[in-house]
Amino acid sequence: MKNIFITREIQAETIKTLRDKGYNITIGKKKTPLTQQEIIKEIKGKNYDAVITLLTDKIDGKVFDASPATKLFANYAVGYDNIDLVEATKRGISVTNTPGDYVDGVAQHAIALLLALMSRLVEADTFVRKGKYKGWDPMLFLGYKLKGKTVAVIGTGRIGEQVAYKLHCGFGTKIIYYDTVKNERIEKDCDAQLMTSLDEALSVADIISIHVPLLPSTHHLINKENLKKMKPSAYIINTSRGPVIDENALVYALKNGEIRGAGLDVYEFEPKLAKGLTKLKNTVLSPHIASAQFESREEMGRILAENVIDFFEDRIPRNKVNK
Ligand code: NAD
């Protein structure tokens, strides 16, 4: 019988699929991310054939040393930068990921953050819940319309492209974009215009939505200097990776009226937030949940189970990411 350890609770359906195959499943009890020491403690000497990991689990040589019997680390995530692939490959350990369709979900969440900000939904919701609503008031919680606004999409890959489509076709915004690669689809379908520089995009946009990967070249892509180039009426949305924005500089800009608001799903040092961020009313903050739709998670779980079953039935898992 195959023994599998899952570092934390995942979809019940996925666990059932694996148990139905006759695998013996042990699930970590902790509700928050495990430290590497905790992972090692859980798996050492247990002879697990496979370990199912999350993006927050740091897997490297120390973990491999602790459990030499484990020949599959199946990551329940699209990314796999939490696993030392070179070391895994060297030791003949397979690593898999779950590249499900998260694109529409993340695009939807970016737009949800934007709508919540522009309609001041979070502030208004708190006001009503606190019993402060005493009757219709023409000046109460005035927000702004999306129609006709200029949106700068920074990074027009899979997610950025969908944000452009949804905002242009659904809300009548003008789309400009900045990317190192030209996107002819949105130029044709959304009349999108490629800006020659990031500064140009930031200075003309009413809304800036960030969708670049985290790379050395995109670390602090949004910083103290270029925040000053944005319109004082600009909103910025980030669902990409936290370190793409200098978060302290963003707090300063929001506090001092350099820009109007920010919608964030990711943070520079998450789960820690920059000092002062939660005090600001002109922000909408979510805890890295842009891809947290039932449909996406179920698909990830299905892909994960397929990878594990393929591995144990001597097929190369479709989503094996190392040699
Ligand atoms: P993608 O690779 O399809 O697109 C990224 C785009 O960024 C590409 O078009 C690329 O050319 C462009 N780019 C790269 N470097 C650039 C630079 N220096 N300047 C301008 N453009 C640059 O990626 P994707 O799947 O659309 O994901 C976008 C981001 O969303 C990533 O950071 C990813 O990690 C993040 N993400 C977040 C969540 C979440 O839960 N919040 C979920 C999934 C993905």
Side-chain angles (χ1 to χ4, degrees), residues 109 265 286-293 297:
H109 193 81
D265 185 53
S286 60
H288 205 148
I289 53 165
S291 65
Q293 291 81 34
R297 293 282 191 264

Side-chain angles (χ1 to χ4, degrees), residues 213-261:
L214 177 60
L215 303 168
S217 61
T218 60
H219 181 264
H220 284 190
L221 192 69
I222 304 298
N223 55 37
K224 190 173 156 194
E225 287 71 39
N226 59 29
L227 277 159
K228 288 190 195 309
K229 295 188 175 139
M230 296 177 195
K231 292 182 178 176
S233 55
Y235 293 98
I236 187 164
I237 306 295
N238 189 18
T239 56
S240 66
R241 285 291 179 257
V244 171
I245 298 183
D246 177 343
E247 205 169 293
N248 284 315
L250 177 66
V251 170
Y252 182 90
L254 288 163
K255 220 176 191 171
N256 292 285
E258 287 180 8
I259 61 170
R260 185 177 280 149

Side-chain angles (χ1 to χ4, degrees), residues 55 78-79 81 102-103 105-107 109 153-162 178-183 198 210-219 221 238-242 244 265-266 270 286-292 297:
L55 203 52
V78 180
D81 47 303
Y102 58 87
V103 174
V106 179
H109 193 81
V153 181
I154 311 301
T156 48
R158 286 161 291 194
I159 298 169
E161 180 176 281
Q162 281 309 312
Y178 177 70
D179 197 303
T180 45
V181 179
K182 193 173 163 67
N183 187 318
L198 177 64
I210 316 279
H211 305 284
V212 292
L214 177 60
L215 303 168
S217 61
T218 60
H219 181 264
L221 192 69
N238 189 18
T239 56
S240 66
R241 285 291 179 257
V244 171
D265 185 53
V266 287
E270 61 184 75
S286 60
H288 205 148
I289 53 165
S291 65
R297 293 282 191 264

